[in-house]
Amino acid sequence: MRRSPSAVDLQETVYALDTTTIDLCLSVFPWAVFRTAKAAIKLHTLLDLRGNIPTFIHISDGKVHEVNILDQLLPEPGAFYIMDRGFLDFERLYRFHEAGSFFVTRGKSNLKVQRRYSHPVDRKTGVICDQTVVLTGFYSHQGFEAPLRRIRFKGSRNSQDPHFSDQQLCLASLYDHRTIPLPLASGALLQWIKQHLRIKAFFGTSENAVRSQIWIAVSAYVLVAIVKKRLHLSASLYEILQILSLTMFEKIPLDQLLAQTMSDEIQPVLITN
């Protein structure tokens, strides 16, 4: 599996943190109460963007807010964590700062900060401002006293524009991996599980049955992703899964089976009159 492209090639590990809600029928799954007339569970995923392979997965009931998942993560020094503003809790994020890791997220509209220093920018590139700031809100400042980097953009980010600094490109491209191309972030795993492993068709209604089926689906995803990466296959994960499902009882090594199938698909066709 190819490494996810980014405008700035980083040597450090880049993770994408995301949460998806799997809707359930309240009358069938009464243990998964989410709202008054709705049931659901949440799948919290930390994805390593170098291979689109999950490194952390937690299944919770629908009422658990995603920000609580930050308490269960062990920050990796030097790593980048990309997340949406649903995870914005400065007291919890300060653990990442203390561990020497970095987080990239969007600020909320009511975020109160004070500018300490402005870095030079070229507005033609879409960068409105690049600032070093400190939090001024009462609770946010108590939870995170260290300076933060704030970059505001307008329009699209062109990674080929020479006026971008490396740091500006890094922040822009990193967050783009979280919000725009979902197949490059944790949305890939969540979307693939829902669409191709038919996660909505549960075989049992108990909490244990639902959790077991989700873990089986995740295991299938990881195994197929590992096969794709190690064998350097160009086919999609879905195509590989289809091949494996049709040849489930064949006693052929995976590398030979997949290589033969791929070569058969691209054989030239001779058309004669």
Side-chain angles (χ1 to χ4, degrees):
M1 185 179 297
R2 294 179 300 174
R3 180 177 178 175
S4 300
S6 63
V8 176
D9 191 15
L10 296 175
Q11 296 181 353
E12 294 80 5
T13 307
V14 182
Y15 295 105
L17 180 61
D18 202 0
T19 296
T20 187
T21 301
I22 301 177
D23 296 327
L24 302 172
C25 178
L26 184 58
S27 60
V28 181
F29 304 91
W31 51 267
V33 177
F34 179 35
R35 293 174 183 168
T36 305
K38 185 178 180 181
I41 57 176
K42 288 184 177 180
L43 185 63
H44 313 272
T45 309
L46 183 68
L47 201 72
D48 188 340
L49 293 185
R50 294 175 299 179
N52 282 350
I53 295 178
T55 60
F56 170 86
I57 291 178
H58 179 72
I59 303 172
S60 70
D61 60 68
K63 293 184 291 185
V64 174
H65 196 279
E66 53 261 39
V67 75
N68 295 298
I69 302 303
L70 294 175
D71 297 332
Q72 303 189 31
L73 297 179
L74 183 62
E76 176 184 331
F80 286 80
Y81 293 84
I82 311 168
M83 60 193 77
D84 62 23
R85 50 190 166 193
F87 294 92
L88 194 57
D89 185 307
F90 288 108
E91 184 176 356
R92 288 182 167 92
L93 290 174
Y94 193 72
R95 291 179 51 245
F96 291 76
H97 172 72
E98 289 184 313
S101 56
F102 306 91
F103 59 91
V104 181
T105 185
R106 291 182 63 188
K108 296 182 179 180
S109 58
N110 61 348
L111 183 64
K112 297 180 179 180
V113 298
Q114 181 180 12
R115 180 180 60 86
R116 285 286 182 86
Y117 180 77
S118 292
H119 304 274
V121 299
D122 184 352
R123 287 180 173 266
K124 296 179 181 179
T125 63
V127 182
I128 299 176
C129 69
D130 181 358
Q131 302 172 337
T132 297
V133 300
V134 291
L135 300 171
T136 58
F138 178 77
Y139 293 106
S140 60
H141 180 71
Q142 285 186 334
F144 203 110
E145 297 181 356
L148 293 166
R149 187 76 173 270
R150 181 176 71 169
I151 298 179
R152 299 183 64 186
F153 294 92
K154 181 179 181 181
S156 61
R157 273 76 80 188
N158 183 1
S159 62
Q160 303 300 323
D161 197 313
H163 296 93
F164 272 113
S165 71
D166 286 344
Q167 291 177 319
Q168 292 167 356
L169 271 176
C170 172
L171 294 175
S173 61
L174 279 178
Y175 195 80
D176 277 350
H177 279 300
R178 165 58 187 83
T179 56
I180 299 177
L182 281 179
L184 299 179
S186 54
L189 168 64
L190 309 178
Q191 185 180 16
W192 195 83
I193 288 177
K194 285 184 175 181
Q195 291 183 353
H196 303 316
L197 297 182
R198 305 184 184 279
I199 196 65
K200 290 186 177 181
F202 290 102
F203 296 105
T205 58
S206 68
E207 182 177 0
N208 183 65
V210 172
R211 288 176 176 267
S212 298
Q213 187 169 343
I214 292 177
W215 280 115
I216 292 173
V218 171
S219 300
Y221 171 91
V222 173
L223 289 174
V224 175
I226 292 174
V227 169
K228 176 179 172 64
K229 183 176 182 179
R230 289 188 176 181
L231 299 182
H232 305 286
L233 301 175
S234 59
S236 67
L237 296 176
Y238 177 69
E239 292 172 339
I240 296 174
L241 183 64
Q242 291 295 100
I243 295 172
L244 296 178
S245 63
L246 295 175
T247 57
M248 186 179 303
F249 299 103
E250 298 289 337
K251 295 183 178 180
I252 304 176
L254 283 178
D255 54 347
Q256 298 180 17
L257 173 64
L258 296 173
Q260 178 181 355
T261 305
M262 300 304 172
S263 61
D264 292 342
E265 291 180 354
I266 60 175
Q267 286 294 330
V269 178
L270 178 63
I271 301 177
T272 59
N273 294 330

